Amino acid sequence: MRVLFGLLETPFRALQRILGIGRMPYIFLLPNLAFFGIFVIVPLIINFAFSVTGGDELFLNERPYVGGEQYSYLADCGSYLDPQSCREDRFWRGIYNTITFVFFQVAFMVLFSLVTALILNREIRGRGFFRAAFFFPVLLSPVVVALIWKWILLRDGVLNAGLTSIGFERILFFVDPTWSMFWAIFVSIWAHMGFYTLILLAGLQAIPPDLYEAAEMDGTKRERVFWRITLPLLWPNLLVVIVLALIKAVQIFDEVFVLTGGGPGTATQFIVQYIYTTGFANQVQNFGLAAAASVVLGVVLFVLTLVQLAVTRRKEDG
C-alpha cells in the first residue's frame, strides 16, 4: 500500500504545482462530478428533450419536434377543479390524488412522529427496544412493506380473518376507494415514521435540561412547558421533518403501486404512477407526455428542495 501511495504521490505533486493547491479539491471531486453528470444531469436533459418531441419512436433523432405541445395537452382543462373536464384527465386525477395523499400523510406523519419522539424521550422501561422497533420499518424495502400489508388486508387476509372470527363481515379494503386511500396513507406512515421520529428525538435531546429544571422549580404546567420551551426549540427540526416528508410524499409510488395498483379505478393513482404507466406500462407508450409530466413534477420537487435548503441554512445560522 505504501508503494502504491508513493507511485501516486509524484503525479499528484506535479499536478498541484501546475494547478495550484487551491484547485486540487476539484481534482478529487472530479470522479463524483462525472458520475453525477452522467447519471443525473444527462438524463434530465434527455428527459426534457423527450418532453418537446412527439411520436412513439424511442430514439430522439426519429422523434419530431413539437415544442410545448405536450405541456399544452396536459394543461388543457375546462376547469382545473374538475379532472373530468381535462383532456388528460388521468394526469389531473393523479395530481388531485397526490395532493390529498400529501395533505393527510404529511399532517399525520408529523403528528405521530412528534408524539412518538416525545414519548421515547422520556425515561420509560424498554426505551431502547421501542426506538429500534419504530425505526425497523424504515430498513425494509418499500415492496416488502407493501406485500406484508397486502397479505394482511386482502379479502382472505389476516385482518379479515380476525374480523370474521369475532362475528364481523369481511371488509373489501381494496374495492372501496376511501378504504384504499386510507390504507395507502397508513402504510406509508408506518413505513417511514421511524426516520422522522429519530430526527425529532435528536432535536429533543439537544434541548438543555436546565430549562426544564427551571420550569419545574417555578411550578410550570407540562402543557405550558411544551408550548413555551419544547416546541419553539424543536421548531427547526420540525421544519426539516415537514419539508422532507413533503418531498417524500410527492414522490410516492412503489408502496402504493404494489399495495393497490392505483385502484380501485384511479382512486390511488398518484402522479408518479401516471408517469410510469404513460411512458412504460400502457400498450401505446407515450414517452413525450410522460416526460412532460415528469418535468412538471421535477419543478415541484425543485421548489421543495429549495425550501429545504433555506430551512436547513436558517437552522444552521440560528
Side-chain angles (χ1 to χ4, degrees), residues 179-198:
W179 274 116
S180 295
M181 180 63 77
F182 169 82
W183 285 112
I185 295 170
F186 178 88
V187 171
S188 178
I189 293 174
W190 182 85
H192 303 288
M193 190 181 74
F195 173 72
Y196 303 110
T197 298
L198 283 185

Side-chain angles (χ1 to χ4, degrees), residues 258-310:
V258 175
L259 185 67
T260 67
T266 58
T268 56
Q269 177 183 278
F270 302 117
I271 186 64
V272 177
Q273 184 178 343
Y274 166 81
I275 295 170
Y276 166 74
T277 54
T278 302
F280 302 101
N282 286 345
Q283 188 173 2
V284 179
Q285 299 171 341
N286 194 330
F287 302 118
L289 197 62
S294 67
V295 169
V296 174
L297 177 62
V299 171
V300 174
L301 293 176
F302 180 71
V303 172
L304 290 175
T305 302
L306 291 180
V307 173
Q308 179 195 357
L309 292 175

Side-chain angles (χ1 to χ4, degrees), residues 17-81:
R17 285 194 297 269
I18 296 171
L19 298 176
I21 192 169
R23 294 187 178 92
M24 284 305 292
Y26 297 101
I27 299 300
F28 293 104
L29 284 174
L30 191 60
N32 287 329
L33 291 175
F35 184 88
F36 183 80
I38 293 171
F39 293 101
V40 178
I41 301 300
V42 172
L44 284 175
I45 295 173
I46 294 174
N47 184 73
F48 180 76
F50 268 96
S51 73
V52 294
T53 59
D56 55 1
E57 292 80 9
L58 178 61
F59 298 103
L60 276 173
N61 60 347
E62 300 175 356
R63 298 175 60 85
Y65 175 77
V66 297
E69 185 178 308
Q70 306 285 11
Y71 298 97
S72 298
Y73 182 79
L74 290 176
D76 187 2
C77 281
S79 171
Y80 291 110
L81 299 178

